[in-house]
Amino acid sequence: MKVNLNRRDFLRATAMAALSVAAASCAQPAAEPAAEPTTAAAQPTTAPAQPTAAPAQPTAAPQATFKEAPALAELVKAGKLPPVDERLPENPFVVTPVDGIGKYGGELTMLIAPASDTKLSRVYGGSRMVSWDITLTQLLPDMCEKFEINEGRDFVFYFRKGLKWSDGTPFTTEDCRYYWEDMANNVEISPNGVPSWLMSGGEAPTVEISDAYTIRFTWPKVNKVFMDNLSGSMGYDFWKPAHYMKQFHVKYADKAALDKAVKDGGHQDWMALHGANDRYYNQDIPDYPTFMPWVPTFKPPQEKYTFVRNPYFYKVDTEGNQLPYLDNLVFITTDVKLIPLKCTTGDADVQQRSLSFSDITLLKDNEKQGNYETRLWSSDWATAMRILPNYCAQDKVMADLFLDKRFRIALSLGIDRAEMNDVAYLGYGVPQQIELLPGVPGYNEAWAQAYAKYDPTEANRLLDEMGLTQRDAEGYRLRPDGKTLDLLIDDAGENPVYVDLIELLTSTYKGIGIKVLYKFSDRTTYRARMSSGEATMGLWGSELGLTYATGGVIASGLFWTEGNNDGNNCWGIWHATKGTDGVEPPASFKKAQELVEQWKLTPEGPESDKIRDEIRAINAEEVYQIGTVGGAPSPIVVKNTMRNIPKEGFALWSRGGYVYWTMPCQWWKE
Amino acid sequence: MASYIARRLIIMIPTVLIISFISFGIIVLPPGDYLESLVASLEAQGERADQDYIAFLRRSYGLDQPFIVQYWRWFSNMFRGDFGYSFEFRREVSDLIGERMLLTVVISITTILLTTAIAWPIALFSATHKYSFFDYVATFFGFIGVSTPSFLIALVFMFLMGRYFGVSAGGLFSPQYMDAAWSWARVKDLLAHLWVPLFILATGSTAGSIRTIRANMLDELGKPYVITARAKGLTELKVILKYPFRVALNPFFSSVGWMLPGIISGSTILSTVLSLPTAGPLLLRALQTQDMYLAGSFIFLQTILTVIGTLLSDLALAWSDPRVRYGKAGS
C-alpha cells in the first residue's frame, strides 16, 4: 500500500503545481521558470522520477554549436549530410533528461503483435505540434515554438524556423496548406467534406496562413478537443509532407506517371494511391518523411521492424547533444499472448503494450533471470470495469427495472468493491464509482463513494421495497412477470480481469437474490448485442480518472450524447437525432445531456468546471452506470540497462501514449 | 493411363472454379468487411476511426461493390498474375505470398522427410516386435504425440525453455539476422532455430504415421501370402519390405496428396505460437481481418495444390499397388 500512497501524493503534487501554472497563464505556452522548482520541490522524496525541471524548456541551448551521434558525424565528414547546426532548427526543442545526460548508441527493442502496431513508433516517438509535459497536465509547444489560444476557439501556431522533415526538406506552412486545401477540402479525397476531427459543433474552421511559419485556426464556437487531438496518442496532424505527397496528387503529378503508379500498385484510382501512400500515422513506408526520432526502413510485413535515427530530429538535450541517444528502435513481432512470457526472458528492453495487471506476478518472479525491473505506472481507469444496464434492452421487464433508481442503487450496493480490489488488483486499486481518482484536482470523495460501499442489507431492503419479494426454489428473486430475476451480462472479452470480477459479482449478487449469467464474446458481437438490445447488461472500462479534470473529450462518456462505443446507444442517439430516433431518456439524464452540450461550448476554466461538476453530481446521484475498481496500475518492463525512464509515471493511452510523455528520444542504454 | 490423367486434369478446372467461388464467398460471408474489423481493432486500442476516412477507403477498395463484382475483379485479374491487393499491408498479394513461400516450403518438406525417416523404421520395428518393450515405448510416445496438439507442445516447450534456460524459443532467426540479407551466417542461424519447429511438427505427424503403419502391418503380417513368402525361404527383411510393408504404405500414399496444401496451412497455429515467418500466420491474420484478396488467394493456391495433390496421390497409389493399377485398368 506504500507504493500506492506515494503514487497518489506524486499525482496530487504534480497535478496541483501544474494546474496553478495553467491557471496563471492559460494561453502562455512558454514554461514559466518559477513553476518548475515548485513542482520539483513539492515531492523531492516520493517522486524520484520527477525531473528537476519540466522536460522541455523552449529556450536556446547553452552551447553555440551542437553535438551529434558518431555515425552521423562520419556522414557529415564524408560530405553526405549537412553539419548538425544546419540540420537542427534555429531554436531546437531542449529536453531535460530524466536522470542525466546519456550516451549515444544501442538499440531499443520492443515486442509488438500485429504488424499494424508499427504505428507505435509514432505513438511513442512524440513529435506532436503540441505535447504534454511530464506531469501530463500542461501543454507544451513541441514542433511549434509557441502557440496561442484565444477564447477557446482561436488557435495560432508559430513553427520553429528551420525545422526539417527527416529527408532534410524544411517544414513550412506549405505542408499545412497542402493538407488543408488539397486534401481536407479536395472533394475527391474528402467527398464528405473536412475530416470530422477538425469539425467542431458541426462547423469547419477558418484557416489563415500569414507566413511560412504561422498558421491560425478559428472556429465560430469553442473547440474543446482540438488541442487534445493534436497532443493525444494518435496525434492528429494538419500537415503532410507536401513535397513527397504531391507525386501522388492529380493536381501536381505528371499524368502519365500517376496513371502508371495507380495501375502498378493495383489501386482503383489516384485517390486510393494517395491514401495508400499517406502513412504519416502508421510509419511503415521507408521513404515517407516524418519528424519522429526514428524513421522506418522496411516494408511490412516483417518479423522485425527496424527504425533508424532521424538525422534531422529537432530535439537536443541540455548540453546540446542532438537526440535521440539510441541508434535504432526495433519492433519484433510475436503472438500477443506470448509477450509477457517473452518479457521474462529479457526479449524486450522496454515493454508496456500488451502487458496487463494480471501479468504482474509472472513478470515480478522472473526479474532476475530477464535482467529487468517491473515498474507500476498509474493507469487512467476511473473504473476498470463499469457495469452498464442496457436501458434499451429488448427484455422490457428488465429495462423497466433499470429505470427504477432503487434498483440501480441496489445493484451498486450489492458489489463488494473492496474484495474485488483485493482479489483482482492485489489491493492496488481504488474501490469507487466512475469518478476522478483520489489526488486528482477536483476529486470529490462523496461522489466517488456514492453508493459504493458493500451493503447487502440495504440492497435487499430496496429490492423488497420495490415489491420483488417472491423467490424461486433456489432463492433468487422473481421479476414482476414471474420469471427468475437474472442479469445477462455481456463482455466484449478484451480485459481478462473481468472474468474474476464477474465471479465475485455473481456471489455477492446471489446474496441479494439476483442471478448473474455471463456471456463472453468479442467486441463486434458485444456491440451488436448491446445496441440491438439483446444484451441486458454490458461491461466496459472507463478512462476518466485523470484526464477529464482538465478537459478532453470525456464528459460525454458518462452521459451519451451520440452513439457510443460501449454499445449503450439508444439514449445518445435520441439526443443526437433530436428525438427522431432512439429512445427518450429520463429527465435527469436529459438534463445531463444538455449540460454536456453546454460544457462543450464553454472554454476551459472555472465556468467549465462548474458545469462538469453538475454533470458529476447527477452521475453520483442517479448511478446510471455502476463503477467498480479504478486506478489499478499497469506494469511496464524496463531492462536494467535502460536509463532515463521514470520509476513512476503514467501508462495511459488517451494522453501521453503509454510512454511518449517520458520522451523516448532521451532514453539511453548502458 | 494417359487418358485417365487427361480426364482428371479436365475435371480439375471446374473443381477449382467452384471452390474459388465458394471460398471467396465464405471469406466475405461473415458480417462486416475488412474496414469494420479495422475500425474494431483501432477502437480496441483506444483509437478513433474517422468515419469519412473509412468511407473513403471503402470506396477506394471497392468494398461497396456487390459480391459478384468483387469476386470477378479478383478472379479475372488472377489469370494475369495479379492476385489483388492486401488492404492490411497495402501491397500486392503476390509479393506477400512470394516472400513467405521459401521458408514455408523448406519447413514443410523437411518435416515430411523427417517424419518419414523416423516413422517408417519405428513403425516397422514396432509391428514386427509386437508387444515387446520397444513397442510399448513407441506406443506410449505415439499416443502422446497423436493426442497432444502441436501448438500445446510448443507452448510447453517455450515455457520450459524460458523457465529453466532463460532462452526465448520461437522464431526462425535471431533478431540480428531477421532483416539481414541471405548469407552463410544467416543460414547457420536459421539451422540453429529450425530444429524447434521441426521437432514439434515431427512429433505429431510421426506419431500418427507410426500408429497407422503399425496397424496396417499387423493386419498384413498374419496373411497367408506372408507365410507363403516365408515358406519360400526369403529373408525376413525381404519378406517384410517387399510385401506387407508395401500394402501398409497405401494409407500413406493416399494421404500424401493432402500434404501439398498442408505446406501452406498445415502448421498455422504452431507457426503463430512460435512466431514463424511462414505462410500460415499470414493466412490466419488475413482471415481474421477479412483481408479478402490475400485470404482468397491463399485459399485458391491451396485449392490448386489440393487437386494436384489428390491426382499425384492417386498416381502414386497406382504405382505402388498393382491391385489398384489393375483394378483401374479393368474398369
Side-chain angles (χ1 to χ4, degrees):
Chain A
M1 218 46 212
K2 190 161 169 286
V3 180
N4 203 20
L5 275 171
N6 288 349
R7 187 163 46 80
R8 296 270 166 266
D9 292 346
F10 165 63
L11 254 177
R12 185 184 303 123
T14 50
M16 287 298 193
L19 204 76
S20 62
V21 180
S25 58
C26 245
Q28 190 47 260
E32 298 286 341
E36 286 124 30
T38 324
T39 315
Q43 285 298 332
T45 46
T46 52
Q50 186 62 20
T52 47
Q57 287 168 298
T59 50
Q63 276 76 10
T65 50
F66 297 101
K67 282 167 276 177
E68 63 196 323
L72 294 184
E74 271 172 39
L75 286 177
V76 173
K77 228 182 201 168
K80 286 180 184 153
L81 204 65
V84 63
D85 294 8
E86 286 171 33
R87 299 200 307 268
L88 285 165
E90 284 174 19
N91 178 8
F93 185 113
V94 181
V95 178
T96 306
V98 168
D99 293 321
I101 302 292
K103 293 197 188 82
Y104 284 117
E107 272 189 350
L108 173 66
T109 305
M110 293 183 171
L111 304 171
I112 61 170
S116 57
D117 271 358
T118 52
K119 68 189 162 211
L120 290 177
S121 75
R122 165 163 163 60
V123 173
Y124 296 165
S127 302
R128 313 286 194 263
M129 183 54 69
V130 290
S131 59
W132 292 100
D133 72 340
I134 207 152
T135 65
L136 290 181
T137 48
Q138 195 196 353
L139 277 173
L140 299 172
D142 194 309
M143 280 166 57
C144 61
E145 200 166 83
K146 60 174 176 158
F147 63 86
E148 285 165 17
I149 306 173
N150 305 306
E151 300 166 14
R153 61 180 195 91
D154 176 46
F155 302 81
V156 194
F157 301 93
Y158 302 91
F159 296 169
R160 291 176 194 273
K161 289 200 177 80
L163 172 60
K164 293 181 183 66
W165 292 95
S166 54
D167 62 357
T169 312
F171 171 64
T172 64
T173 42
E174 165 61 12
D175 297 309
C176 308
R177 187 210 59 78
Y178 179 82
Y179 174 73
W180 179 245
E181 283 178 12
D182 295 326
M183 290 178 65
N185 283 297
N186 178 301
V187 285
E188 285 184 289
I189 288 186
S190 309
N192 300 324
V194 172
S196 53
W197 78 272
L198 277 169
M199 301 295 281
S200 175
E203 308 209 54
T206 318
V207 177
E208 189 191 316
I209 293 171
S210 35
D211 61 46
Y213 300 103
T214 315
I215 187 166
R216 175 191 290 264
F217 289 79
T218 314
W219 278 271
K221 289 184 186 138
V222 170
N223 185 344
K224 283 192 116 152
V225 296
F226 186 48
M227 291 310 240
D228 274 319
N229 278 337
L230 291 180
S231 60
S233 292
M234 292 182 72
Y236 283 94
D237 43 289
F238 53 75
W239 56 93
K240 294 285 170 187
H243 62 287
Y244 178 83
M245 291 310 297
K246 279 178 182 171
Q247 61 175 310
F248 308 111
H249 200 296
V250 73
K251 189 171 155 193
Y252 303 97
D254 173 56
K255 182 89 175 64
L258 190 66
D259 286 347
K260 189 172 177 304
V262 168
K263 202 164 164 292
D264 289 352
H267 299 285
Q268 204 164 30
D269 45 34
W270 75 268
M271 293 88 83
L273 172 73
H274 189 276
N277 281 286
D278 175 20
R279 306 299 287 176
Y280 191 82
Y281 181 58
N282 302 67
Q283 298 282 315
D284 55 6
I285 294 187
D287 302 327
Y288 195 96
T290 169
F291 296 108
M292 296 304 140
W294 299 279
V295 297
T297 58
F298 51 77
K299 267 188 184 176
Q302 303 276 340
E303 266 182 286
K304 176 188 179 188
Y305 297 93
T306 306
F307 300 77
V308 301
R309 176 192 297 284
N310 171 4
Y312 293 91
F313 191 59
Y314 61 100
K315 296 183 181 176
V316 296
D317 68 14
T318 40
E319 291 188 0
N321 297 304
Q322 188 192 23
L323 299 171
Y325 291 131
L326 292 154
D327 285 336
N328 299 330
L329 169 65
V330 172
F331 288 155
I332 292 185
T333 47
T334 186
D335 187 73
V336 64
K337 294 192 179 63
L338 294 175
I339 288 181
L341 185 64
K342 295 218 162 204
C343 284
T344 63
T345 52
D347 286 18
D349 288 319
V350 177
Q351 187 71 29
Q352 193 279 332
R353 182 86 149 183
S354 307
L355 297 181
S356 73
F357 190 86
S358 46
D359 299 320
I360 285 181
T361 326
L362 175 75
L363 294 172
K364 283 266 182 202
D365 276 354
N366 293 285
E367 281 185 335
K368 215 175 217 153
Q369 170 198 303
N371 189 30
Y372 62 87
E373 185 186 7
T374 315
R375 299 182 183 172
L376 297 181
W377 282 4
S378 302
S379 75
D380 192 17
W381 297 102
T383 186
M385 179 179 89
R386 56 185 151 126
I387 300 169
L388 298 165
N390 192 348
Y391 297 104
C392 324
Q394 284 173 5
D395 188 338
K396 285 288 162 252
V397 180
M398 288 313 295
D400 285 344
L401 283 175
F402 290 144
L403 284 176
D404 191 322
K405 190 170 136 188
R406 289 171 298 180
F407 191 70
R408 299 196 297 266
I409 292 173
L411 289 182
S412 182
L413 292 174
I415 302 171
D416 191 346
R417 294 176 176 80
E419 189 188 18
M420 284 182 170
N421 186 26
D422 288 342
V423 171
Y425 293 104
L426 312 172
Y428 278 107
V430 183
Q432 65 166 20
Q433 294 288 8
I434 308 158
E435 254 300 332
L436 295 181
L437 290 166
V440 173
Y443 173 72
N444 180 323
E445 191 177 356
W447 290 339
Q449 294 302 327
Y451 309 114
K453 201 164 174 352
Y454 180 48
D455 188 349
T457 324
E458 175 64 7
N460 273 316
R461 194 192 63 78
L462 285 167
L463 294 171
D464 288 345
E465 188 187 299
M466 285 174 66
L468 301 167
T469 45
Q470 301 286 323
R471 303 259 182 167
D472 70 3
E474 285 176 82
Y476 292 112
R477 291 170 192 276
L478 296 181
R479 320 191 310 181
D481 63 352
K483 287 189 200 156
T484 300
L485 178 51
D486 52 21
L487 296 171
L488 176 55
I489 302 184
D490 272 46
D491 181 353
E494 287 169 9
N495 191 336
V497 179
Y498 286 7
V499 181
D500 299 337
L501 295 180
I502 291 297
E503 207 174 302
L504 297 170
L505 188 77
T506 309
S507 74
T508 55
Y509 272 10
K510 191 170 183 193
I512 59 171
I514 295 175
K515 189 173 185 173
V516 172
L517 304 171
Y518 185 37
K519 183 168 162 43
F520 195 81
S521 57
D522 60 78
R523 179 178 283 242
T524 321
T525 317
Y526 166 83
R527 196 174 296 167
R529 284 175 52 84
M530 279 299 275
S531 46
S532 70
E534 282 170 89
T536 44
M537 270 195 149
L539 302 173
W540 206 255
S542 187
E543 268 191 331
L544 310 171
L546 293 169
T547 42
Y548 94 89
T550 49
V553 287
I554 317 288
S556 58
L558 282 176
F559 295 97
W560 314 283
T561 54
E562 56 191 1
N564 198 294
N565 70 359
D566 58 30
N568 219 328
N569 279 325
C570 57
W571 287 356
I573 289 171
W574 185 87
H575 179 85
T577 59
K578 300 193 171 59
T580 53
D581 200 359
V583 176
E584 184 173 358
S588 61
F589 199 95
K590 271 195 281 187
K591 171 133 189 293
Q593 288 176 325
E594 295 305 323
L595 287 167
V596 169
E597 297 295 353
Q598 214 180 319
W599 178 85
K600 283 184 186 163
L601 293 176
T602 315
E604 291 296 339
E607 181 68 17
S608 157
D609 288 352
K610 202 174 137 260
I611 302 172
R612 180 199 71 193
D613 289 351
E614 280 180 61
I615 299 172
R616 289 166 66 197
I618 297 178
N619 177 50
E621 181 52 37
E622 296 287 340
V623 216
Y624 282 113
Q625 305 178 29
I626 302 163
T628 51
V629 180
S634 156
I636 169 165
V637 163
V638 179
K639 269 274 185 70
N640 292 330
T641 48
M642 292 301 301
R643 296 288 174 267
N644 278 353
I645 303 177
K647 294 253 186 264
E648 296 193 30
F650 312 93
L652 328 175
W653 170 263
S654 53
R655 180 177 292 185
Y658 298 140
V659 298
Y660 111 65
W661 62 276
T662 72
M663 299 227 181
C665 62
Q666 54 92 46
W667 294 356
W668 63 285
K669 210 173 182 177
E670 194 85 68
Chain B
M1 197 67 186
S3 76
Y4 168 71
I5 296 174
R7 219 165 354 122
R8 289 288 304 263
L9 285 173
I10 291 168
I11 292 175
M12 273 161 68
I13 296 171
T15 314
V16 166
L17 289 184
I18 292 168
I19 298 180
S20 83
F21 184 79
I22 295 175
S23 58
F24 194 82
I26 291 174
I27 293 168
V28 179
L29 199 60
D33 54 24
Y34 165 71
L35 291 169
E36 281 177 29
S37 78
L38 174 73
V39 171
S41 75
L42 286 178
E43 285 176 352
Q45 295 157 358
E47 298 173 41
R48 276 167 294 157
D50 191 337
Q51 282 309 318
D52 298 340
Y53 180 60
I54 296 298
F56 165 74
L57 286 181
R58 177 159 289 131
R59 196 176 44 84
S60 65
Y61 288 165
L63 291 175
D64 51 353
Q65 307 277 333
F67 165 73
I68 284 295
V69 177
Q70 295 185 18
Y71 171 74
W72 181 246
R73 199 166 72 163
W74 170 70
F75 191 75
S76 58
N77 282 336
M78 210 146 50
F79 290 100
R80 281 179 262 133
D82 176 5
F83 285 81
Y85 182 74
S86 158
F87 305 140
E88 176 161 30
F89 301 109
R90 302 175 338 286
R91 289 178 59 192
E92 295 278 319
V93 165
S94 42
D95 290 356
L96 286 171
I97 295 184
E99 271 174 15
R100 297 262 170 157
M101 267 343 258
L102 175 66
L103 284 174
T104 311
V105 170
V106 166
I107 290 195
S108 301
I109 297 203
T110 330
T111 310
I112 293 172
L113 294 179
L114 192 68
T115 307
T116 313
I118 300 173
W120 287 9
I122 294 181
L124 269 183
F125 195 83
S126 263
T128 48
H129 300 73
K130 197 170 126 187
Y131 304 139
S132 67
F133 174 72
F134 177 85
D135 182 34
Y136 281 123
V137 173
T139 307
F140 178 72
F141 283 106
F143 274 122
I144 292 182
V146 171
S147 55
T148 321
S150 61
F151 69 88
L152 187 68
I153 301 182
L155 283 174
V156 170
F157 187 81
M158 288 172 82
F159 173 77
L160 293 177
M161 291 290 276
R163 192 85 188 80
Y164 296 105
F165 299 99
V167 181
S168 158
L172 283 184
F173 298 101
S174 310
Q176 67 265 35
Y177 290 109
M178 275 180 183
D179 51 359
W182 279 106
S183 64
W184 182 232
R186 193 175 190 235
V187 173
K188 274 203 281 193
D189 188 59
L190 172 65
L191 292 178
H193 286 80
L194 196 58
W195 68 273
V196 178
L198 283 187
F199 168 76
I200 294 164
L201 277 173
T203 311
S205 49
T206 306
S209 282
I210 293 176
R211 298 307 303 163
T212 325
I213 296 176
R214 178 179 176 275
N216 277 304
M217 282 295 286
L218 290 180
D219 282 348
E220 296 298 323
L221 279 175
K223 292 218 171 133
Y225 72 86
V226 180
I227 298 166
T228 312
R230 283 214 183 94
K232 282 171 129 184
L234 291 177
T235 62
E236 186 64 15
L237 194 67
K238 198 162 185 187
V239 171
I240 305 278
L241 288 186
K242 182 114 185 152
Y243 303 104
F245 185 52
R246 276 170 70 186
V247 179
L249 281 185
N250 276 358
F252 171 78
F253 281 115
S254 52
S255 67
V256 79
W258 306 338
M259 287 184 183
L260 274 185
I263 286 176
I264 291 185
S265 65
S267 52
T268 300
I269 300 180
L270 177 75
S271 305
T272 307
V273 167
L274 287 177
S275 349
L276 304 183
T278 53
L282 198 62
L283 169 62
L284 182 66
R285 177 82 191 153
L287 288 171
Q288 282 170 336
T289 57
Q290 297 199 31
D291 195 346
M292 56 188 187
Y293 296 128
L294 181 56
S297 303
F298 261 126
I299 294 191
F300 185 71
L301 266 183
Q302 279 195 281
T303 311
I304 291 182
L305 288 176
T306 310
V307 286
I308 293 176
T310 314
L311 176 65
L312 288 181
S313 85
D314 285 356
L315 294 178
L317 203 58
W319 166 79
S320 87
D321 189 341
R323 295 175 305 179
V324 176
R325 196 158 60 227
Y326 295 125
K328 227 158 231 149
S331 68

